Amino acid sequence: MAEQQGAKYEVIYDMGTGLVIAKVQISDVKEQDINARIMKKEMQDQLTANIKNRGQLESLPLLALKDGVLEIVSGHHRIKSAREAGLKEIIVILDVSGLSRSKIASKQLAHNAISGFDDKSTLREICKMLDDVDDMLESFIGKEIMEEPLEQYDKMLSPAVHFDFKNVTFSFLPHQVEDMDALVKQLELTSPEIIGVAAYEQCNSFVEALRKYQKFTDIRNMGAAIHSMIECVMEKMDAFGFDEEEDWTYLAKIFGSNAVPAEAANVISQAVKKAEKEGVVTSKNRWQLIEYLAADYLAGK
């Protein structure tokens, strides 16, 4: 561990000409009082998330040892995000040649200004290599670049595409009051527009049904799969002639059971087929045959 006037750093490799690769404590690193390079908050937040996910910096900041202080020359935002990500120590390129204040300012401006520019057509080609939503987030490439490659990923839900949406929350809870209280407090923060609460035991069957449906339909996106499942339910209700303007009830409420003996079911089935054939009922109102028979019985026919 090298030490100069209180500044501590561990030299990992001597590059020559006054430059070393060193390990430093992030708490010992001082930012410049003035830095012209700025970064949008959402970009800074993404940089922090990238560093936290990796556990270290992926490019080395440049520091200068000035009067016993480790000063940042280039990499203010990387080090700021490293602090926010909870890193205690980082690897840096450290100039120990004894730069003057003027020379440090010169290098600071040069590193900010001499950064080149991106060729957009090349960026689009690189973007086509992205096949994971998390990778798209990490790249922080703008919509104007990402939009063209995204056309190839119609099964992916990319955050780079702007669309209207509603928040839907599915919550599976044990039957306990404190769990419901905790849910309500959480919902006050997220403010979903639709809330669904079901018994905790139903969670596994819901997830399993969704997984099977995604495999059955080859729909990989979860939101698209749920949308497709909803469409299937709507089609089924329409097939039975459901009208939400009327009050509906389950036959089990009337008969006390969903099931009937097989012989009885066979007779009922034949009667329904005959009624359909004669136009008494249709496939959308088969249940009405029961109503007709019940009405005749009440009328003494």
Side-chain angles (χ1 to χ4, degrees):
M1 177 75 72
E3 182 172 352
Q4 181 176 334
Q5 298 180 18
K8 295 180 180 179
Y9 55 92
E10 179 183 342
V11 176
I12 298 175
Y13 179 73
D14 190 338
M15 302 169 64
T17 65
L19 292 177
V20 298
I21 296 177
K23 181 187 293 184
V24 302
Q25 297 297 310
I26 200 166
S27 59
D28 294 335
V29 176
K30 179 183 180 298
E31 298 179 4
Q32 297 295 332
D33 295 331
I34 301 175
N35 182 43
R37 179 60 61 93
I38 60 174
M39 181 178 286
K40 292 181 179 179
K41 183 182 184 302
E42 58 268 25
M43 186 179 291
Q44 185 81 61
D45 291 343
Q46 185 59 54
L47 177 58
T48 302
N50 293 351
I51 294 172
K52 189 171 184 179
N53 181 58
R54 184 74 179 191
Q56 62 183 26
L57 296 177
E58 293 183 343
S59 59
L60 303 184
L62 174 62
L63 272 58
L65 186 60
K66 173 64 175 172
D67 299 330
V69 178
L70 299 171
E71 296 188 9
I72 303 174
V73 177
S74 174
H76 282 78
H77 298 102
R78 279 169 285 170
I79 293 177
K80 178 181 178 181
S81 282
R83 292 185 201 273
E84 293 176 352
L87 271 60
K88 302 301 181 184
E89 57 184 22
I90 55 175
I91 307 298
V92 301
I93 298 175
L94 179 61
D95 192 318
V96 294
S97 65
L99 297 177
S100 65
R101 176 59 58 202
S102 176
K103 185 63 71 175
I104 290 176
S106 173
K107 289 185 177 294
Q108 183 183 358
L109 291 172
H111 278 259
N112 284 347
I114 308 175
S115 56
F117 60 91
D118 294 317
D119 178 74
K120 291 188 176 181
S121 63
T122 304
L123 278 179
R124 289 189 178 93
E125 290 302 311
I126 297 174
C127 285
K128 290 178 182 179
M129 301 178 190
L130 299 174
D131 60 2
D132 183 89
V133 173
D134 289 332
D135 294 340
M136 289 182 178
L137 279 170
E138 185 174 339
S139 70
F140 209 86
I141 293 295
K143 178 183 177 183
E144 70 280 0
I145 299 297
M146 189 70 77
E147 195 165 26
E148 183 179 324
L150 280 174
E151 293 176 1
Q152 302 179 30
Y153 307 134
D154 55 352
K155 291 184 179 180
M156 296 179 64
L157 179 62
S158 170
V161 178
H162 299 290
F163 50 85
D164 293 328
F165 66 92
K166 290 183 179 292
N167 291 325
V168 180
T169 297
F170 293 96
S171 296
F172 298 90
L173 300 176
H175 302 293
Q176 297 178 1
V177 176
E178 57 266 28
D179 291 321
M180 180 61 75
D181 290 339
L183 173 65
V184 171
K185 290 179 181 178
Q186 182 62 32
L187 293 176
E188 289 176 355
L189 300 176
T190 57
S191 300
E193 298 187 44
I194 302 174
I195 306 169
V197 180
Y200 181 77
E201 293 77 11
Q202 295 175 328
C203 180
N204 289 338
S205 58
F206 172 77
V207 173
E208 180 64 13
L210 180 58
R211 182 192 67 79
K212 286 183 178 179
Y213 188 81
Q214 285 183 281
K215 189 173 183 180
F216 173 69
T217 57
D218 193 28
I219 300 177
R220 299 179 185 179
N221 177 264
M222 184 177 295
I226 293 176
H227 174 69
S228 180
M229 291 172 70
I230 292 171
E231 286 186 326
C232 288
V233 173
M234 297 294 286
E235 289 173 4
K236 185 173 182 179
M237 289 190 293
D238 184 62
F240 281 95
F242 174 73
D243 184 354
E244 62 181 331
E245 298 298 325
E246 301 180 41
D247 292 329
W248 286 62
T249 188
Y250 289 101
L251 288 176
K253 283 187 176 182
I254 300 173
F255 295 106
S257 171
N258 293 352
V260 296
E263 291 184 5
N266 184 48
V267 173
I268 295 171
S269 179
Q270 290 182 42
V272 170
K273 288 180 181 179
K274 181 181 178 182
E276 279 191 69
K277 187 175 181 180
E278 295 177 353
V280 177
V281 296
T282 68
S283 60
K284 288 189 175 184
N285 67 331
R286 290 169 179 161
W287 51 267
Q288 206 158 26
L289 180 60
I290 299 176
E291 181 186 0
Y292 294 154
L293 293 173
D296 288 343
Y297 177 77
L298 291 173
K301 295 181 181 179

